[in-house]
């Protein structure tokens, strides 16, 4: 990996906390990712600013991901599955069509739909020499909520908490558009949080030192797996490709989260990103309601590998560690 890429990833671990502290001054900032929560209280006598990012996932009924031991054509994959199911009681099954940029290339998985009454015979597939694993298709929900609450702790007191739960209530995306975090404007999404800071966040974290040394991200391919990006967004001049992996017919960002992340990485105007000359490859893997599927990610991962992506930013967490195909990839 190129020098700027590794330095950028180190910066990325701390940029978000510093951004909000700089923006909010004497306010509380808390984050929540997946099944864990983190709260930092900066002062007393002030309101608390909280961003919650939560993830839940559910199994898609009747759908299974068949992972192979290598990359095969669609015809070969279908043949392997048919051969494996001949000795089982499964008759009503079909391969779920996947129409995306990865469809033109060999793949290492297939999605099949099987009648619920016959699902017990699905393990028969794993007896085929070219089939590695069969797992349920999963649907992923990402929820964002930005809010303020009353003060609790004394000045400079910081509390870190981590909670683990077996399940969480399903919640659709919730954003307070007046909070100044990120919001959609229709034509493109703006990053008001970054613009509200007196100094650019990349320079605040001394990325300009690397720029002076010649490390600006030039020649580095960076993939952003998120909610997309507007084609004519004025802050980006080096977007090499935008691809859609969802069931929505758009490449644009209707939420703003993908635009915000892309801006932190490679914005070339106003709030300059860490690697302004990096090549951006936009992968739209979340819908505007922040829904995704394991198969969407797997196809997008394969395409990123094919395109020889150097750095991949993946804004997801929580229950994904239980999803074998996702973790394997």
């Amino acid at each position: 990996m190129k020098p700027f890429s590794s330095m950028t990833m180190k910066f990325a671990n701390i940029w978000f906390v510093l951004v909000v502290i700089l923006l909010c001054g004497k306010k509380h900032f808390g984050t929540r990712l997946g099944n864990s929560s983190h709260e930092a209280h900066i002062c007393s006598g002030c309101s608390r600013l909280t961003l919650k990012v939560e993830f839940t996932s559910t199994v898609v009924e009747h759908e299974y991901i068949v992972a192979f031991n290598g990359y095969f054509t669609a015809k070969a994959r279908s043949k392997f599955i048919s051969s494996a199911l001949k000795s089982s009681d499964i008759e009503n099954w079909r391969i779920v069509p996947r129409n995306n940029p990865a469809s033109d290339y060999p793949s290492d998985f297939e999605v099949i739909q099987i009648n619920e009454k016959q699902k017990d015979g699905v393990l028969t597939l794993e007896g085929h020499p070219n089939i590695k694993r069969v797992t349920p298709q999963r649907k992923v929900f990402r929820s964002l909520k930005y809010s303020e609450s009353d003060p609790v702790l004394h000045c400079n007191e910081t509390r870190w908490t981590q909670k683990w739960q077996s399940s969480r209530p399903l919640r659709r995306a919730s954003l307070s558009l007046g909070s100044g975090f990120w919001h959609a404007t229709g034509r493109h999404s703006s990053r008001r949080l970054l613009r509200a800071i007196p100094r650019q966040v990349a320079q605040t974290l001394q990325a300009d030192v690397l720029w002076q040394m010649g490390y600006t991200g030039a020649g580095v391919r960076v993939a952003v797996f998120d909610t997309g990006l507007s084609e004519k967004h004025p802050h980006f001049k080096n977007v090499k490709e935008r691809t859609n992996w969802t069931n929505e017919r758009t490449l644009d960002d209707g939420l703003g989260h993908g635009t915000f992340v892309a801006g932190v990485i490679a914005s070339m105007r106003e709030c300059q990103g860490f690697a302004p000359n990096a090549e951006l490859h936009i992968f739209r893997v979340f819908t505007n309601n922040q829904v995704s599927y394991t198969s969407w990610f797997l196809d997008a991962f394969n395409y990123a590998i094919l395109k020889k992506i150097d750095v991949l930013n993946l804004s997801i967490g929580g229950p994904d560690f239980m999803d074998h195909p996702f973790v394997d990839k």
Side-chain angles (χ1 to χ4, degrees), residues 12 14-21 29 31 51 181-182 193 260:
I14 59 174
W15 73 264
F16 192 72
V17 174
L18 293 179
V19 166
V20 180
I21 291 175
F29 171 61
T31 63
L51 171 66
F181 192 70
W182 58 69
L193 185 148
F260 179 79

Side-chain angles (χ1 to χ4, degrees), residues 189-256:
S189 299
S190 61
R191 300 182 316 285
R192 287 172 21 186
L193 185 148
L194 289 183
R195 288 209 300 268
I197 299 175
R199 297 184 61 201
Q200 296 180 14
V201 64
Q203 290 180 330
T204 300
L205 297 180
Q206 300 182 7
D208 52 339
V209 175
L210 291 177
W211 298 342
Q212 293 170 9
M213 296 171 61
Y215 298 116
T216 61
V220 180
R221 299 183 181 95
V222 182
V224 180
F225 276 47
D226 217 290
T227 51
L229 181 68
S230 172
E231 181 181 9
K232 297 182 179 179
H233 198 295
H235 292 178
F236 304 95
K237 302 300 181 183
N238 205 15
V239 178
K240 292 299 181 180
E241 186 177 23
R242 297 184 309 147
T243 51
N244 182 27
W245 307 87
T246 73
N247 54 14
E248 293 180 338
R249 296 183 178 180
T250 181
L251 289 165
D252 292 342
D253 183 5
L255 180 65

Side-chain angles (χ1 to χ4, degrees), residues 221-223 281 283 303-312:
R221 299 183 181 95
V222 182
H281 295 253
F283 288 68
Y303 192 75
I305 293 170
L306 183 69
K307 291 293 181 176
K308 297 182 179 180
I309 296 297
D310 298 306
V311 180
L312 194 158

Side-chain angles (χ1 to χ4, degrees), residues 32-295:
R32 193 163 196 162
L33 182 62
N35 292 334
S36 64
S37 66
H38 151 235
E39 294 183 352
H41 299 264
I42 308 302
C43 74
S44 63
C46 58
S47 62
R48 295 186 301 167
L49 198 60
T50 303
L51 171 66
K52 292 184 178 180
V53 184
E54 297 182 352
F55 297 89
T56 58
S57 70
T58 60
V59 171
V60 180
E61 291 188 75
H62 317 319
E63 288 191 9
Y64 298 86
I65 291 177
V66 181
F68 299 97
N69 290 319
Y71 287 81
F72 302 96
T73 64
K75 184 178 180 179
R77 299 195 305 267
S78 177
K79 183 178 179 180
F80 295 156
I81 294 174
S82 297
S83 176
L85 292 178
K86 280 184 178 179
S87 60
S88 71
D89 296 330
I90 298 177
E91 296 179 356
N92 298 323
W93 66 275
R94 72 182 186 97
I95 293 177
V96 179
R98 309 196 314 272
N99 184 20
N100 56 52
S103 302
D104 296 331
Y105 303 95
S107 179
D108 59 346
F109 80 98
E110 198 66 88
V111 180
I112 64 172
Q113 191 175 72
I114 296 177
N115 186 289
E116 184 179 11
K117 296 179 181 179
Q118 301 172 312
K119 66 181 182 180
D120 291 338
V122 73
L123 293 180
T124 306
L125 288 163
E126 295 186 350
H128 193 280
N130 293 113
I131 296 177
K132 178 171 63 175
R133 180 184 290 128
V134 180
T135 55
Q137 164 89 298
R138 299 189 75 89
K139 186 177 183 179
V140 181
F141 304 87
R142 181 176 69 178
S143 175
L144 306 174
K145 188 173 182 180
Y146 188 63
S147 62
E148 287 188 84
S149 53
D150 296 331
V152 175
L153 299 183
H154 299 292
C155 279
N156 299 324
E157 183 176 352
T158 301
R159 180 177 63 199
W160 299 81
T161 62
Q162 189 169 25
K163 300 177 182 178
W164 297 93
Q165 298 180 12
S166 59
S167 62
R168 293 188 181 276
L170 177 62
R171 183 191 302 178
R172 293 184 63 181
S174 175
L175 284 179
S176 176
L177 300 185
S179 63
F181 192 70
W182 58 69
H183 70 116
T185 61
R187 180 181 176 187
H188 60 264
S189 299
S190 61
R191 300 182 316 285
R192 287 172 21 186
L193 185 148
L194 289 183
R195 288 209 300 268
I197 299 175
R199 297 184 61 201
Q200 296 180 14
V201 64
Q203 290 180 330
T204 300
L205 297 180
Q206 300 182 7
D208 52 339
V209 175
L210 291 177
W211 298 342
Q212 293 170 9
M213 296 171 61
Y215 298 116
T216 61
V220 180
R221 299 183 181 95
V222 182
V224 180
F225 276 47
D226 217 290
T227 51
L229 181 68
S230 172
E231 181 181 9
K232 297 182 179 179
H233 198 295
H235 292 178
F236 304 95
K237 302 300 181 183
N238 205 15
V239 178
K240 292 299 181 180
E241 186 177 23
R242 297 184 309 147
T243 51
N244 182 27
W245 307 87
T246 73
N247 54 14
E248 293 180 338
R249 296 183 178 180
T250 181
L251 289 165
D252 292 342
D253 183 5
L255 180 65
H257 189 274
T259 304
F260 179 79
V261 172
V264 172
I265 295 170
S267 172
M268 300 183 72
R269 288 179 54 187
E270 296 187 29
C271 305
Q272 201 164 10
F274 285 104
N277 290 327
E279 295 181 5
L280 280 179
H281 295 253
I282 305 301
F283 288 68
R284 192 177 192 273
V285 294
F286 277 102
T287 66
N288 287 333
N289 288 330
Q290 299 197 82
V291 173
S292 191
Y293 290 83
T294 300
S295 59

Side-chain angles (χ1 to χ4, degrees), residues 311-326:
V311 180
L312 194 158
N313 186 89
L314 183 64
S315 296
I316 190 173
D320 53 12
F321 69 93
M322 299 177 62
D323 199 349
H324 286 295
F326 183 95

